[in-house]
Amino acid sequence: MTELSRREALTAGAFATLATAMPAWAQDAAQTTAGAAWDLTEIYPSDAAWDAARKSALAALPGISKYKGRLGESAATLAEALTLQSDLGRTIARVYVYVSLKADEDVRVATWQEKQAQAIDLYTAFGEATAWFSPEILTVGKAKIDGFIAANSTLKTRFDFYLANIVRQAPHTLSPEGEAILASATAPLQAPGDISGQLRSSDIPWPTIKLSDGKEVRLDSQGYTLNRDAPNRADRKAVFDAFWGAHGKFQNSFGATYNAQVKSDIFIAKARKYPTALAAALSGNNVPETVYRTLVAEANQGLPQLHRYFDLRRRMLKLPDIAYYDIYPPLVSLDRPFTLEQMRTLTLEAVKPLGPDYQSRMAKATAAKWMDPWPRQGKRPGAYMNPGAFDVHPYLLLNLSEKYDGMSTYAHEWGHALHSLLANSTQPFEKADYPIFLAEIASTANEQLLVAYMLKNAKTKEEKLFYLGQQMENFRGTFYRQTMFAEFELKAHDLAEAGEGLSGKKFTQVYFDLLKRYHGPNMGLDPAYGNEWAFIPHFYNSFYVYQYATCIAAATYFAQSILKGGAKERDNYLSVLKAGGSDYPVDILKRAGLDMASPAPYQALIATFKDTLDQAEALLV
């Protein structure tokens, strides 16, 4: 389709990529791995076959123009045009997946970066060749489109939702000329994010500090991430003070870039006749603003439980008080290592409540060469699942550690993969692609089933506390922290839309006020920590992070109902995964009994958080 949405986003950037350093323990293992463990010949048998597919798709693009001005001619003509567009998009996605995975095998190989650029150019050309579809469909009119759908089985089974969605957005779709202008503005409107990223990557003179063990560390983004949980409390404070202080020295520059981002969002909203930037951002998936605002309101209502967690953290770490630099050290250490086969076995046991079909699909998939699991020199860091090769299967790039966090990542990414497998086996290509609003539910539910299984089978009090700690940190980091980010974005845009002048100083003030409210009166917070907003690249993908919070709320609801229920609850959840992108995500969840615009899912998560706190506190008595 013209808007490849999540599939295009995933092939371009993939899921949940987090920068990770290659752990020392993995060096030897990496040296014994000559190359990637996945088998990309299932996508294309050779590089020559890939290049032939790319050239064939490029040569086919001009053929789309023969339908220009003819979409209202007949139902058959419209079906032919949409089928051509969809089939080309399907091929182009496969072309991109192959080369992007090859490039990620070793990011040092320039040849694959160049080939990846060719695939991106192909995507761009496809977008340009099909940009006229939506405006022309709108000129045909709703009544005629509805008649075409009723009369043509291809339109009814493959394109009905796509067409209905275009008609829904008619008030916000411009003329072909206007759409072309907005499309050409995409690159310059990305400049604020590019500039802020460049500041963080190359221009800021990051400080170097000496830790208590005599080691000197350079506190760039990676150095901060690796040392913010240092065992020595004075080291943690030094890391925070130096890192956020460095951001503060560039407060004005970061303020200029984020102010430009906010103004860009408002420009797009006005151009498309939306009342607010928030409404414009949520419109694509037809998510009501009440979902966003209810999430923020209910997270604030649940802050007493978060404050209670911070006090529990203080007690477990045996600290006299709690400060912001104390939120990352692990509450309990677990020295147990996990092999890849153990990760697979334990995850398969953990997902048993999802039924034999789910478990069988996962067993078959995890035994095949769909995954590249271990870190090695030159490999792209982080973890993602790429579903773009619809006619083949998902591929997973992982950089696992041998610790529990590695197994949790394994379960998470395979949750994404099973979501795609179930959607692809149930829906046609055009309706299989699910949006981000649903995507993190399947992965997070798998994580929760895994921690529940490990907790149930834990042998010691310390092991139980470790898994409870994992749950509590997940709620803190994914629900509360992401909602705090979402509230920051909302306040920044509200201020701009009200005509308030914005600056780096103002953003720091707004963010610091949120830090104080979310972390409670007993949390030690230096004003310099308010500069953290400048560190969050997600703010340049506006009104995006709230979906992590809504997804963990939905995942918690489903995981708890499955663990406490039976086949009915399991099948209800699986119906969400099988729905893919066949309807708007809020409506898919509503049919499964979950209204994301109501307080219920967020209150349920907070209740589960409270129960987890109760269990941990009982073990400390």
Side-chain angles (χ1 to χ4, degrees), residues 483-548:
T483 303
M484 182 181 74
F485 289 166
E487 188 170 355
F488 172 77
E489 291 186 89
L490 187 60
K491 286 182 177 294
H493 287 78
D494 282 350
L495 288 169
E497 286 166 341
E500 296 284 339
L502 296 176
S503 65
K505 183 179 179 181
K506 184 67 172 179
F507 292 136
T508 300
Q509 176 190 325
V510 169
Y511 192 87
F512 188 61
D513 287 345
L514 288 169
L515 279 181
K516 287 189 291 185
R517 175 160 27 102
Y518 273 76
H519 292 80
N522 297 324
M523 177 69 72
L525 285 161
D526 188 293
Y529 302 163
N531 292 304
E532 187 179 36
W533 64 271
F535 173 67
I536 313 298
H538 288 84
F539 290 156
Y540 294 88
N541 188 0
S542 299
F543 301 114
Y544 173 88
V545 296
Y546 85 98
Q547 296 170 111
Y548 290 117

Side-chain angles (χ1 to χ4, degrees), residues 102-155:
K102 292 289 285 188
D104 287 349
E105 289 180 357
D106 192 336
V107 299
R108 301 168 298 183
V109 180
T111 300
W112 288 111
Q113 310 306 319
E114 293 161 7
K115 291 181 183 295
Q116 190 173 23
Q118 288 181 307
I120 292 172
D121 289 344
L122 177 58
Y123 255 134
T124 302
F126 175 66
E128 292 170 348
T130 57
W132 55 271
F133 266 70
S134 292
E136 185 168 320
I137 287 168
L138 289 175
T139 65
V140 176
K142 183 179 186 303
K144 198 170 185 180
I145 291 293
D146 288 345
F148 283 173
I149 292 171
N152 187 282
S153 61
T154 299
L155 294 177

Side-chain angles (χ1 to χ4, degrees), residues 196-201 203-207 219-225 239-257 504-505 508 511 527-537 539-540:
S196 68
Q198 198 65 42
L199 270 172
R200 284 189 294 270
S201 299
D203 290 352
I204 293 181
W206 295 111
L219 292 177
D220 55 10
S221 296
Q222 187 180 66
Y224 163 73
T225 302
V239 166
F240 269 60
D241 290 350
F243 189 64
W244 300 125
H247 279 81
K249 292 176 183 177
F250 286 79
Q251 183 186 81
N252 292 332
S253 297
F254 281 122
T257 62
K505 183 179 179 181
T508 300
Y511 192 87
Y529 302 163
N531 292 304
E532 187 179 36
W533 64 271
F535 173 67
I536 313 298
F539 290 156
Y540 294 88

